[in-house]
Amino acid sequence: MTERLVVIGGDAAGMSAASQARRRRGPDDLEIVAFERGHFTSYSACGIPYWVGGLIDNQADLISRDPETFRTEHHIDVRLRHEVVAIDLDRREVVARAWDDGGREVRERFDQLVYAAGAVPITPDWARTDTAGIFGVQTLDDGASLLAWLEGEPRPRRAVVIGGGYIGVEMAEALIQRGLSVTLVERSPEPMSTVDPDMGALVRQALCGLGLDVRSGVTVTGLESRDGRVAAVHTDEGSLPADIVVLGLGVRPNTKLAAEAGLPLGLTGAIRVDLGMRVVGVPGVWAAGDCVESVHLVSGQMVHIPLGTHANKQGRVAGINIGGGYATFTGVVGTAVTRVCNLEVGRTGLRERDATAAGFEFVTAKVESTSRAGYFPGAEKMTVKLVAERHTGRLLGAQIVGRSEAAKRIDVLAVAVWNKMTVAEMANLDLGYAPPYSPVWDPVLVAARRAAAAVR
Amino acid sequence: MTERLVVIGGDAAGMSAASQARRRRGPDDLEIVAFERGHFTSYSACGIPYWVGGLIDNQADLISRDPETFRTEHHIDVRLRHEVVAIDLDRREVVARAWDDGGREVRERFDQLVYAAGAVPITPDWARTDTAGIFGVQTLDDGASLLAWLEGEPRPRRAVVIGGGYIGVEMAEALIQRGLSVTLVERSPEPMSTVDPDMGALVRQALCGLGLDVRSGVTVTGLESRDGRVAAVHTDEGSLPADIVVLGLGVRPNTKLAAEAGLPLGLTGAIRVDLGMRVVGVPGVWAAGDCVESVHLVSGQMVHIPLGTHANKQGRVAGINIGGGYATFTGVVGTAVTRVCNLEVGRTGLRERDATAAGFEFVTAKVESTSRAGYFPGAEKMTVKLVAERHTGRLLGAQIVGRSEAAKRIDVLAVAVWNKMTVAEMANLDLGYAPPYSPVWDPVLVAARRAAAAVR
C-alpha cells in the first residue's frame, strides 16, 4: 500500500527531506505532500542582505528550486500559501489553511510526518505594532517588502538596524550601499557577539570605517510612529530618528504546533530528535532544520543553531532514512562565517564564555599574520584567536577576522575541533603553502604554535 | 663550557634551527656558526617565479631575514659564500671553502651539527653543458641570472620550459607575462603530474588558454647551441627553437657530504632522521629540510617532499630540541598548492597511483561545484576529486582545481586526511557557510557525499 509523507515547511530542511525520500522511493510507494505557508520553496534567506544591497539583482536568483520543479520532476505535491494549523497525532493527520482560497481548511492524512517549520524572529513587545516601516529579514517576502519601502515615497533616508549579529551587520552594510544613513544598535558591548568582544571590536572598527554609526551597549526601549509610519527608535541612551527599522534580533525555533501536538522540546526550546532526525519517542514523526536542537560536539550540550547548512544536512538525513536508507546527523561545532564591509569573520567551536559555561579551563592565543606571503601582492592582515583546554591542549574554539582569504580558513580549524586535535599536534599540520595563498607558516599554524606555548 | 653548534646551509631549515636553538640558549651557553655557500640567508625560493614574472619587484622582498639580522640580533655567526666540503665526524669538525677569500680552507669544530644542505636540481646529462641561456630556478642567484639574460642582448623571444611540475608551470606563466613565446615540455601525459591525469588535463587546458604551447608526453633528448648560446631543444618529437631554456625537472636531496661522512640515507636517497630530527644513529648530528626524508602518514612509506613549509617546521623542531626543549615532526600528508594562470591547484594525500603503490584498494569521486553560492557575484567553477579506501571509506587523498578560492580548500581535506576521517563522516562536517564564501553545500561536502556513495 502506498505510504503518505507529509512535510510541514517548504524550505531547506523540508524540501531536502522530501527530495531524498523521493530519490529512494517512487510515487507508487510513497506519496509526498509538502505544505509551505509562504510563496516560495527552497530559497536562500542568507542571500537577502545581498539582494537588498544590490549585489544580487533578482529575487529569483535566491530560489534554488521552485515548486513546479518539485511537482513535475520529483512528484512532490507542493502546496504554497498553505499554513498548517494543527497536527493530530492520534488521527495521523494535519490541518492546514489555504490562504489563497479564503483560508479554507484542508486535512491531510500522513503515515510519516516531517516537521520543518523553521524559526520565527524574536520580536520584543515594543516591536509588536502595526506601524509601517519595520522589517524582519527572514523570508523572501520580508525582503521584497523592505525593498518596496526603500523605493517608495517618502523615500527613507535614515535607517536604524536593531541587533548586531550576522543579519544585523549584513543589513546595515546593505543599507549603506543603498545610500542611507545607518545606525546599528546592539545591546552587547561589541557587535557580532558570536565572536569574543576583543574580536568583535575589530568588526566595530570596520563598521565605523564605513560611515556606520555603531551604538553598542545600548538597549532599545520603544518605537515612535508618525501617521502610521515609524519615526524614531527610543533607547536607554536617547532617541534615534528612523524612516526604516530593521530587526535582527535573532530567531527562536517555530515550535508552537509541535508543542501543541506534544512533540518533545529540549531546554533550548527546540525539538528533540535522535541522530536519524526522528522526533524522540514519537514514531513516524521526523523534524529537521531551524526548529530542532543539536548536540554541540565540544561542549556536549544541546544547542539551537539555525543555519541553512545544518537544515540542508538534517533534511537530507531525515529523507534518506524515510527512504529506507541510513544516515545520521551527528552534531555541530558551531562554525559560522560572514562578510561585513569587506571584513571576513569566521568562528568555530566555543568562545571564551562558552568554554567557561561548559566547564572548561582554557588558555587563549591571538596572533596577527597575513593572508599571503608578506611580500606577495594582495597580502592582507589577519587575526586568529584560539581557545584551547588547559593541560590537555585540546582545541576548543577559534575565531578569525581579516580582510581577505580569512573566513574560510575557519574550516581548517573546524575540522581540527571536530577531530579533537590538540594545538601542539596542529602546529605540525601539513597545510598548503605557496606565496599567493599563505605565508610559509600559515596563520593557523602560527596561532597553534602560540597556543601550544600557552598550554604548557 | 660553551657548546658549539655548526649549521650547514643558511636557508629555511638551517636558520630556523639556529634561531630556535638561540631562543632557548644564550651565546654564553651555545655558540652558533652557520655556513651558507650562496649570497643569501632565509629566502623564499618559491617566490622566484613571481619575481621573474614581475609581480614582485625586488629580490630583497624574497629575503625574510638577512645575515646582519642573524649576526646582531641572534648572535649567530653567519658565513656567506662558505661552502662546506667535508664533515669529519671523528674529529667533530667541518671543512669549508671561503669563496670570497680565494677558496681558503676553514675548519670549524662542532659539538652539535645541523645538516641542512637542501636539495640540488635534477640535471640530465644533456643539460650538463656550459652553453649560456640555460637556467635552474632554485636559488636567488638563479633568479638574478635568469632576469639578466631576459633583459640582455640579443633579447630572448622564445622560451622552452622543461618539466611541467610546480616550478615549470609557474615559470612558463612568468615568461608569458614578460612577453615571451613559451613552450612547455613535459614527459608525462599531462602537466602537473602531482595531480592525477584527469585533473592535470584541466591545468593543460588553462595553460593552453593562456597561449602557452604545451607539449606533454614528450621527452627531451638534447640541446643545441650556437656561438655558445642555447639555440634549440631537441625532443623525441622534433626540435624546438629556444633563446632561453628553463629547467624544472625537480630536485634531489643534496646528500653528497652526508654520504661521504657516513650519515644514513633511506631508500628515497634522503637522510634518515628520527621524530626529533636527529640523524639516526649519529649522536649530536641533526638534519632538516630538503635533504631529509619524512614518513607519509597515509601510505606509511618514507617520502622525499622538498617544500619550504616542511623545512621551516623541521628546522624549528631540531632547534627546539638542541635548545633543550621538546618537539617532534611527525610526518607529512603530501599537501601542496599552486597558482597557474589564475587556475588554483591543490592536492593532499595520495593520488590514484600512490594509493595503488601503497597497497590500497580505493574508489574515487569527482564533482563540479562553485566557490560561492551559485547566484553570488564572483562564483567560479571548482572541481574536487577524492580518493577513498574501499570498504572503510577512509579519505586517502584529494585534489582541487578551480578559478578562485579553490587551492586553500585543500587544507580542509588535509586535516581530514591527517585525522583518518571517513568520507561518510566528512559529509557531516560543520564547515562555514555564507553566500560570499560557499554554496550551502560546500564543494568539499558534495565530494564527500559522492565518495561515501561510491564506497558503499
Side-chain angles (χ1 to χ4, degrees):
Chain A
M1 197 192 111
T2 309
E3 260 199 342
R4 175 172 289 188
L5 166 64
V6 166
V7 176
I8 301 175
D11 200 0
M15 297 317 292
S16 291
S19 306
Q20 289 292 334
R22 173 57 76 230
R23 282 183 61 171
R24 284 165 181 76
R25 298 175 65 180
D28 294 342
D29 181 33
L30 184 73
E31 283 179 52
I32 307 180
V33 181
F35 292 109
E36 163 58 39
R37 63 180 171 166
H39 291 91
F40 308 99
T41 50
S42 297
Y43 57 87
S44 171
C46 324
I48 293 173
Y50 308 105
W51 176 34
V52 170
L55 257 181
I56 295 158
D57 292 335
N58 298 309
Q59 174 174 281
D61 289 340
L62 300 182
I63 298 170
S64 67
R65 231 178 278 174
D66 62 27
E68 215 34 48
T69 307
F70 283 115
R71 288 187 194 115
T72 56
E73 293 180 17
H74 302 272
H75 306 286
I76 295 168
D77 179 4
V78 178
R79 307 203 194 154
L80 296 182
R81 297 277 289 151
H82 277 62
E83 182 174 3
V84 174
V85 293
I87 301 168
D88 188 332
L89 285 180
D90 293 331
R91 302 178 59 170
R92 307 297 277 180
E93 61 179 34
V94 298
V95 184
R97 297 273 177 200
W99 291 118
D100 285 345
D101 193 6
R104 181 175 57 86
E105 183 178 294
V106 178
R107 288 179 172 265
E108 201 68 55
R109 185 188 60 76
F110 64 81
D111 300 293
Q112 308 282 336
L113 178 71
V114 171
Y115 188 95
V120 288
I122 291 171
T123 314
D125 285 339
W126 51 256
R128 295 176 203 278
T129 160
D130 49 11
T131 299
I134 305 170
F135 300 92
V137 195
Q138 218 219 350
T139 66
L140 288 192
D141 291 329
D142 291 338
S145 312
L146 193 155
L147 274 170
W149 183 263
L150 286 178
E151 286 157 10
E153 292 297 340
R155 190 63 52 105
R157 292 181 300 107
R158 294 161 307 181
V160 174
V161 176
I162 304 176
Y166 297 116
I167 286 290
V169 295
E170 287 165 8
M171 285 304 298
E173 184 180 5
L175 293 167
I176 283 199
Q177 280 161 353
R178 293 191 68 97
L180 279 80
S181 141
V182 183
T183 303
L184 179 73
V185 182
E186 163 63 36
R187 200 170 44 180
S188 306
E190 297 289 353
M192 194 68 79
S193 62
T194 51
V195 295
D196 285 324
D198 56 334
M199 300 294 274
L202 301 176
V203 177
R204 177 171 45 75
Q205 288 156 20
L207 291 168
C208 294
L210 201 74
L212 181 68
D213 181 6
V214 180
R215 309 281 179 100
S216 46
V218 168
T219 302
V220 172
T221 53
L223 298 176
E224 184 180 321
S225 65
R226 200 169 301 138
D227 306 330
R229 296 171 64 98
V230 72
V233 175
H234 295 309
T235 77
D236 58 357
E237 298 196 2
S239 183
L240 303 163
D243 310 317
I244 175 172
V245 170
V246 176
L247 301 178
L249 295 165
V251 297
R252 54 181 178 73
N254 182 10
T255 52
K256 181 167 174 288
L257 284 183
E260 287 168 2
L263 304 190
L265 304 184
L267 284 178
T268 66
I271 299 171
R272 291 188 54 211
V273 291
D274 72 7
L275 295 175
M277 305 313 293
R278 295 167 195 88
V279 173
V280 172
V282 188
V285 180
W286 313 70
D290 291 357
C291 57
V292 306
E293 60 180 26
S294 306
V295 67
H296 194 295
L297 296 172
V298 183
S299 71
Q301 309 296 311
M302 300 310 290
V303 289
H304 175 240
I305 300 182
L307 277 180
T309 180
H310 302 325
N312 270 284
K313 289 196 190 88
Q314 293 167 343
R316 175 173 174 267
V317 165
I320 289 174
N321 290 327
I322 292 167
Y326 173 68
T328 57
F329 182 83
T330 48
V332 301
V333 296
T335 311
V337 292
T338 190
R339 196 175 77 170
V340 197
C341 319
N342 295 324
L343 203 66
E344 303 192 353
V345 183
R347 54 147 291 160
T348 190
L350 305 181
R351 294 165 300 183
E352 293 193 38
R353 79 195 87 158
D354 306 320
T356 301
F360 284 108
E361 286 190 17
F362 59 87
V363 299
T364 66
K366 190 160 67 171
V367 301
E368 279 205 355
S369 180
T370 53
S371 57
R372 307 175 177 183
Y375 59 79
F376 202 87
E380 296 276 8
K381 212 173 68 172
M382 186 182 304
T383 306
V384 181
K385 176 177 180 174
L386 303 186
V387 179
E389 189 179 15
R390 192 181 295 283
H391 307 307
T392 72
R394 176 182 169 192
L395 181 68
L396 300 177
Q399 298 160 42
I400 302 184
V401 174
R403 291 267 158 204
S404 76
E405 296 137 43
K408 279 295 259 182
R409 266 185 168 90
I410 205 72
D411 285 353
V412 176
L413 294 155
V415 182
V417 167
W418 185 282
N419 286 287
K420 301 183 169 52
M421 291 187 79
T422 66
V423 286
E425 184 178 9
M426 286 173 60
N428 264 332
L429 276 172
D430 187 358
L431 304 183
Y433 160 62
Y437 302 122
S438 166
V440 69
W441 286 96
D442 190 276
V444 167
L445 300 176
V446 178
R449 279 171 53 174
R450 185 74 58 86
V455 164
R456 277 196 297 265
Chain B
M1 196 192 110
T2 308
E3 260 199 342
R4 174 171 289 188
L5 166 64
V6 167
V7 176
I8 301 176
D11 200 1
M15 297 318 291
S16 292
S19 306
Q20 290 292 333
R22 173 59 75 230
R23 284 182 61 172
R24 285 165 181 76
R25 297 174 66 179
D28 294 341
D29 182 32
L30 185 73
E31 282 178 51
I32 307 181
V33 181
F35 291 109
E36 163 57 40
R37 63 180 172 165
H39 291 90
F40 307 99
T41 48
S42 297
Y43 57 88
S44 171
C46 325
I48 294 173
Y50 308 105
W51 175 34
V52 170
L55 257 182
I56 295 159
D57 291 335
N58 298 311
Q59 175 176 281
D61 290 340
L62 300 182
I63 298 171
S64 67
R65 231 178 278 175
D66 61 27
E68 215 32 49
T69 307
F70 283 116
R71 286 186 195 116
T72 55
E73 294 181 17
H74 302 272
H75 305 287
I76 295 168
D77 179 5
V78 179
R79 307 203 192 152
L80 296 182
R81 298 277 290 151
H82 277 62
E83 182 174 2
V84 175
V85 294
I87 301 168
D88 188 332
L89 286 179
D90 294 331
R91 302 178 57 169
R92 306 299 276 182
E93 61 180 34
V94 298
V95 184
R97 297 272 177 202
W99 290 119
D100 285 344
D101 192 5
R104 183 175 56 87
E105 184 178 294
V106 177
R107 286 179 174 263
E108 201 68 56
R109 185 188 60 77
F110 64 82
D111 299 294
Q112 307 283 335
L113 178 71
V114 171
Y115 188 96
V120 288
I122 292 171
T123 314
D125 285 338
W126 49 257
R128 295 177 202 276
T129 159
D130 49 12
T131 298
I134 304 169
F135 300 92
V137 195
Q138 219 219 348
T139 66
L140 288 192
D141 292 329
D142 291 339
S145 312
L146 193 156
L147 274 170
W149 184 262
L150 286 178
E151 286 157 11
E153 294 296 341
R155 190 62 53 105
R157 292 180 301 107
R158 294 160 307 182
V160 174
V161 176
I162 305 176
Y166 298 116
I167 286 290
V169 296
E170 288 165 7
M171 285 304 298
E173 184 180 6
L175 292 168
I176 283 198
Q177 281 161 352
R178 293 192 67 97
L180 280 81
S181 141
V182 184
T183 304
L184 180 73
V185 181
E186 163 64 38
R187 201 170 44 181
S188 306
E190 297 289 354
M192 195 67 79
S193 63
T194 51
V195 294
D196 284 324
D198 55 335
M199 300 295 274
L202 301 176
V203 177
R204 178 170 44 75
Q205 288 156 21
L207 290 168
C208 294
L210 202 75
L212 181 69
D213 181 6
V214 180
R215 310 280 179 100
S216 47
V218 169
T219 302
V220 172
T221 53
L223 299 176
E224 185 180 318
S225 65
R226 201 167 303 139
D227 305 328
R229 296 171 64 97
V230 71
V233 174
H234 295 308
T235 77
D236 58 356
E237 297 195 2
S239 183
L240 302 164
D243 310 317
I244 175 173
V245 170
V246 176
L247 301 178
L249 294 165
V251 297
R252 56 182 177 73
N254 182 11
T255 52
K256 181 166 173 289
L257 285 183
E260 287 168 1
L263 304 189
L265 304 184
L267 283 177
T268 66
I271 299 171
R272 292 188 55 211
V273 290
D274 71 8
L275 295 175
M277 306 313 293
R278 295 168 195 88
V279 173
V280 172
V282 188
V285 180
W286 313 70
D290 291 357
C291 57
V292 306
E293 61 180 26
S294 307
V295 67
H296 194 294
L297 296 172
V298 184
S299 71
Q301 310 295 310
M302 299 310 290
V303 290
H304 175 241
I305 301 182
L307 278 180
T309 180
H310 302 324
N312 270 284
K313 290 197 190 86
Q314 292 166 344
R316 174 174 175 267
V317 166
I320 290 174
N321 290 327
I322 292 167
Y326 173 68
T328 57
F329 182 83
T330 49
V332 300
V333 297
T335 311
V337 292
T338 190
R339 195 175 79 170
V340 196
C341 320
N342 295 324
L343 203 66
E344 303 192 353
V345 184
R347 55 147 290 159
T348 190
L350 305 181
R351 295 165 299 185
E352 292 194 38
R353 81 195 85 159
D354 306 319
T356 300
F360 284 109
E361 286 190 17
F362 59 88
V363 300
T364 65
K366 190 160 66 172
V367 301
E368 279 205 356
S369 180
T370 53
S371 55
R372 308 173 177 186
Y375 58 79
F376 202 87
E380 296 276 7
K381 213 173 68 172
M382 186 182 302
T383 306
V384 181
K385 176 177 179 173
L386 302 186
V387 179
E389 189 179 15
R390 192 181 296 284
H391 307 308
T392 71
R394 175 183 170 192
L395 180 68
L396 301 177
Q399 298 159 43
I400 302 183
V401 175
R403 292 266 159 204
S404 77
E405 296 137 44
K408 279 294 259 182
R409 267 185 167 90
I410 206 71
D411 285 353
V412 176
L413 295 155
V415 182
V417 166
W418 184 284
N419 286 287
K420 300 183 169 54
M421 291 187 80
T422 66
V423 286
E425 184 178 10
M426 286 173 60
N428 264 332
L429 276 172
D430 187 358
L431 304 183
Y433 160 62
Y437 302 122
S438 165
V440 70
W441 286 97
D442 190 276
V444 166
L445 300 177
V446 178
R449 280 170 53 174
R450 184 74 58 85
V455 165
R456 279 195 295 265

